[in-house]
Amino acid sequence: MDRVELAELDFCYLTTTGRRSGSPHTVEIWFALHGDVVYVLAGGGEGSDWVKNLMVHPTVGLRLGDRDVICSGRPVVDAEEDELARRLVFDKYRPRDSGDLTDWRARALPVAIDLPAGTLGSG
């Protein structure tokens, strides 16, 4: 799969390391790809288990289509990047979902998964 095909996928898999157990925990989650960053929105905010795990162990596994990559995850704190993440994910999924995602867009916590440079190629 090339970069464009990967970006159009419906979801990715994000694997965090359990903050107490040390065991891997994987979630299927909506995403938007922008450059070398995958943005996701945590509907449960900082209360989401996977976000709590990421805060303790920022090294995460990402499965995007046929690609498995070790990355670094972080909550988005910059205001401009926050708006970018919300807009990208919302705009990707609004046409695909029958519900109203407006409240989710406003309340969810944006998280950035930083890919190693050049991981997905330029295609």
Side-chain angles (χ1 to χ4, degrees), residues 2 12 16 19-21 27 32-33 40 43-44 46 51-52 58 60 66 69 74 78 102-104 109-110 114 117 123:
D2 68 18
C12 67
T16 59
R19 62 197 176 281
R20 285 181 245 143
S21 68
V27 295
L33 177 62
V40 296
E46 291 180 6
V51 173
K52 290 177 184 178
V60 299
D66 59 356
V69 186
R74 59 184 168 80
D78 175 78
T102 306
D103 187 57
W104 169 75
L109 174 70
D114 296 311

Side-chain angles (χ1 to χ4, degrees), residues 2 6 13 31-32 42 74 76 84-85 87 97 100 105 111-112:
D2 68 18
L6 292 171
Y13 292 98
F31 74 98
R74 59 184 168 80
V76 174
L84 173 67
R87 180 178 50 80
D97 191 84
D100 182 0
R105 180 195 194 280
V111 174

Side-chain angles (χ1 to χ4, degrees), residues 68-87:
D68 287 305
V69 186
I70 301 299
C71 308
S72 180
R74 59 184 168 80
V76 174
V77 294
D78 175 78
E80 285 183 33
E81 187 179 25
D82 180 287
E83 178 52 32
L84 173 67
R86 291 176 192 279
R87 180 178 50 80

Side-chain angles (χ1 to χ4, degrees), residues 4 17 58 98:
V4 172
T17 301
S98 61

Side-chain angles (χ1 to χ4, degrees), residues 20-99:
R20 285 181 245 143
S21 68
S23 298
H25 296 276
T26 302
V27 295
E28 180 180 278
I29 193 164
W30 287 351
F31 74 98
L33 177 62
H34 183 74
D36 286 329
V37 180
V38 170
Y39 289 110
V40 296
L41 298 181
E46 291 180 6
S48 298
D49 279 336
W50 69 265
V51 173
K52 290 177 184 178
N53 291 343
L54 182 139
M55 300 290 265
V56 174
H57 302 288
T59 299
V60 299
L62 179 72
R63 173 170 280 223
L64 193 55
D66 59 356
R67 311 287 177 92
D68 287 305
V69 186
I70 301 299
C71 308
S72 180
R74 59 184 168 80
V76 174
V77 294
D78 175 78
E80 285 183 33
E81 187 179 25
D82 180 287
E83 178 52 32
L84 173 67
R86 291 176 192 279
R87 180 178 50 80
L88 290 171
V89 178
F90 179 77
D91 288 352
K92 178 178 177 181
Y93 290 97
R94 182 181 49 198
R96 300 176 187 207
D97 191 84
S98 61

